[in-house]
Structures are given as structure tokens and as C-alpha cells.
Amino acid sequence: MSALIDEHELVHEADLVWLEDISGLDYVRQSLDRLPTRRGRPAYHRDGRMVGYALLGPGAKPSRSSGTFRRRVFWLLPHDRDTDPQGLYATGAPAEAVDPRTLAPGGKGCKTERSEGGPPSLAMRELGITRPL
């Protein structure tokens, strides 16, 4: 969950891979998953779809107990705003959701007015940034 992700857990991230164009997504869910490799597309075992994942650099060490690596996976569920705009998350966002435009390797991202389903902030309006309908 984004609130539970500490940036020290992300220090070995080398890149983020997006499987979809994130410009039209108000938010993505993120989690730290235990995966068998530092790189490559991980298997996905949730409802919904994976929209991206992190790649780790060579300095990342596997867990001594499990031999796995903690990597971020970004995903959406069938009832999320992108597929059900008037549904449960018409406003607000799940606890583990962040605005994908605030994500970078090593940075946990944050919620924004956009990810919360609210009106664009004053800063967004001043920059001419609009939310897609």
C-alpha cells in the first residue's frame, strides 16, 4: 500500500515499465510484491489488470529467507474509475492508489486532486493542465 511503502524500500529501482498509456489514468494502485527476479514482467494473479511494474538494479539483494525481491507492481481492478467512472471511486481513491504522473523510480508517488476525483487544483489550472473526461 502506498501509505506503507517506505522510500528506502525503493532505492534499488532502476526503471518503471508501463504496459499502458498512463496519461488517461487518474490513479493506479501500487503494491510491493515478492517476485523471483529483479527484472522482467512479473506474473499477475489479481483481478483486473497490471498496468506497470518496477525493474531493480544489480544492487538489489534477494531476501535471505525466500530468495525473492520486493518489487512494485501497478494495477487496477474492474471497479476502478477508469472502467467505472460513476462507480465506487467516482470521487476518492483506494488507499493504495497514487497519481501515476507522480511516480518515478525510487519515488513512492502521491495522491493528487486528480487521483481523488476532485476538481483540478489551482496549480493545475494555472499550468493549463486539465483532467480528461
Side-chain angles (χ1 to χ4, degrees), residues 1 3 6 9 14 24 30 32 35-37 42 51 56 59 67 75 84-85 95 101 106 108 111 115 118-119 122 129:
M1 308 250 185
D6 289 324
E9 295 181 281
Q30 69 175 341
L32 272 172
L35 299 170
T37 63
V51 295
L56 302 179
W75 45 285
D84 190 3
R101 283 160 294 285
K108 64 182 181 175
K111 290 188 187 294
S115 68
L122 177 60
I129 301 170

Side-chain angles (χ1 to χ4, degrees), residues 8-25:
H8 77 275
E9 295 181 281
L10 309 177
V11 297
H12 295 293
E13 285 186 345
D15 200 7
L16 301 180
V17 175
W18 296 107
L19 303 173
E20 296 183 18
D21 178 6
I22 59 170
S23 65
L25 298 175

Side-chain angles (χ1 to χ4, degrees), residues 31-96:
S31 58
L32 272 172
D33 292 358
R34 292 212 171 270
L35 299 170
T37 63
R38 287 180 187 90
R39 304 183 71 75
R41 184 177 177 158
Y44 185 73
H45 302 290
R46 294 178 178 92
D47 287 341
R49 66 191 196 275
M50 179 171 51
V51 295
Y53 54 90
L55 302 176
L56 302 179
K61 303 290 183 228
S63 164
R64 284 186 246 173
S65 60
S66 68
T68 59
F69 298 88
R70 291 190 33 104
R71 288 173 51 195
R72 277 194 297 178
V73 176
F74 307 101
W75 45 285
L76 290 166
L77 292 175
H79 61 274
D80 279 323
R81 191 180 313 145
D82 69 305
T83 54
D84 190 3
Q86 301 307 316
L88 178 63
Y89 295 111
T91 61
E96 67 273 15

